[in-house]
Amino acid sequence: MAVRIGLRAVLIDLSGTLHVEDTIVPGAVEALKRLRTAPVKIKFVTNTTKESVVTLHERLQRLGFDIRITDIFSSLTAARHLVIEGGLRPMLLLQDDAKKDFIGIPTDEPNAVVVGLTPDNFNYATLNTAFKLILEGAPLIAIHKGKYFKKLDGLALGPGPFVEALEYATGTTATVVGKPEKTFFTEALRSLGCSPEEAVMIGDDARDDVQGAIQAGLKGILVNTGKYRPGDEDNIQPRAYAVCSSFPEAVEHIISNML
């Protein structure tokens, strides 16, 4: 019964949970509208690094989701804050669109390496330049270390394998700013004025979304869409608070059992 009384916030993953590229998870638009009628605050938390927050927001609006740009908390935003706080001039291993989230930050004579998902730039020459900078003392910042993500034609490599290659080659450890880092969840909740104990996270990634949220003090609901693979729920500890077939079922669970 304490759970029913205490829930004040819902954090929601985007890619794989509400949509896959430009395909909507069935019933997700209507389920979000239903959740907005509940007495909870909502924040959309994403590790998406292929596109800027503005482009991502435009995509979501085009798909029919009732989401304001201020509702989105991105790992790109978290990385920008870290770069500014450190007075860094980053080499940005990012897609050109994602670099828009770093406008105004100097990148000449880089003294740091920031890595996101950039299929256009994960080549030997670029990675070797990053390798040399790190050997010279530049910090390695990983926007996240996801192993893979869901595309319409199947799973695809995420930035994690490339970050770990740089870690292995240089003997350094990256600073990770996105999910599943505890600070990412707590920063998202701080903007809502809520504590972890008052929140639940919904996502398709058992490790980054659900386990990360649980370790940060939230409850975690795993949905069987996006990158989910059968048995993912058995590979994390603590276990998910609930496992649902999709976002609409997760919303039904929250409204019926947690409020």
Side-chain angles (χ1 to χ4, degrees):
M1 187 60 67
V3 174
R4 288 178 176 270
I5 295 173
L7 187 66
R8 295 182 57 221
V10 181
L11 302 186
I12 304 170
D13 174 54
L14 289 170
S15 179
T17 301
L18 296 186
H19 69 102
V20 175
E21 297 182 11
D22 285 333
T23 299
I24 303 167
V25 170
V29 171
E30 295 76 17
L32 178 57
K33 290 178 180 177
R34 185 182 180 203
L35 185 61
R36 285 203 181 278
T37 67
V40 293
K41 298 178 180 180
I42 298 173
K43 198 80 171 181
F44 301 91
V45 291
T46 178
N47 272 349
T48 296
T49 59
K50 289 192 301 178
E51 56 192 5
S52 67
V53 172
V54 169
T55 301
L56 173 61
H57 179 245
E58 290 172 351
R59 177 198 296 268
L60 294 167
Q61 285 196 314
R62 188 169 65 250
L63 293 176
F65 288 104
D66 176 21
I67 296 175
R68 300 180 297 271
I69 194 167
T70 53
D71 292 336
I72 301 172
F73 185 72
S74 164
S75 53
L76 286 170
T77 304
R80 178 186 173 91
H81 292 167
L82 182 63
V83 166
I84 291 173
E85 289 171 2
L88 302 174
R89 302 183 306 276
M91 173 187 179
L92 297 171
L93 268 174
L94 299 171
Q95 294 291 85
D96 287 343
D97 191 76
K99 290 179 182 178
K100 294 176 183 176
D101 283 354
F102 290 82
I103 289 175
I105 294 176
T107 55
D108 56 307
E109 299 183 3
N111 60 1
V113 175
V114 174
V115 183
L117 179 62
T118 177
D120 294 342
N121 296 304
F122 281 149
N123 56 65
Y124 183 85
T126 306
L127 288 169
N128 199 48
T129 299
F131 164 72
K132 290 179 179 179
L133 283 171
I134 298 166
L135 283 183
E136 293 169 359
L140 173 60
I141 299 171
I143 296 182
H144 68 94
K145 290 179 71 175
K147 296 178 181 179
Y148 50 82
F149 65 103
K150 177 68 172 178
K151 296 180 66 176
L152 289 177
D153 61 354
L155 297 177
L157 279 175
F162 300 93
V163 173
E164 294 212 355
L166 289 171
E167 288 179 319
Y168 173 75
T170 60
T172 59
T173 300
T175 297
V176 184
V177 297
K179 297 177 288 185
E181 297 303 302
K182 179 178 180 179
T183 52
F184 182 83
F185 292 101
T186 54
E187 284 298 316
L189 288 173
R190 184 174 291 117
S191 68
L192 298 177
C194 298
S195 66
E197 295 75 18
E198 299 171 311
V200 63
M201 170 75 202
I202 306 172
D204 66 315
D205 189 315
R207 184 183 75 96
D208 289 359
D209 292 331
V210 178
Q211 186 177 50
I214 294 170
Q215 291 177 342
L218 297 78
K219 287 181 170 55
I221 296 178
L222 179 65
V223 292
N224 300 350
T225 55
K227 67 165 56 175
Y228 170 83
R229 302 180 75 189
D232 279 355
E233 61 268 38
D234 299 323
N235 296 326
I236 59 170
Q237 289 294 335
R239 297 179 68 86
Y241 170 77
V243 179
C244 299
S245 63
S246 64
F247 178 70
E249 184 178 305
V251 170
E252 172 62 32
H253 180 88
I254 288 171
I255 291 174
S256 298
N257 299 288
M258 302 181 73
L259 296 175

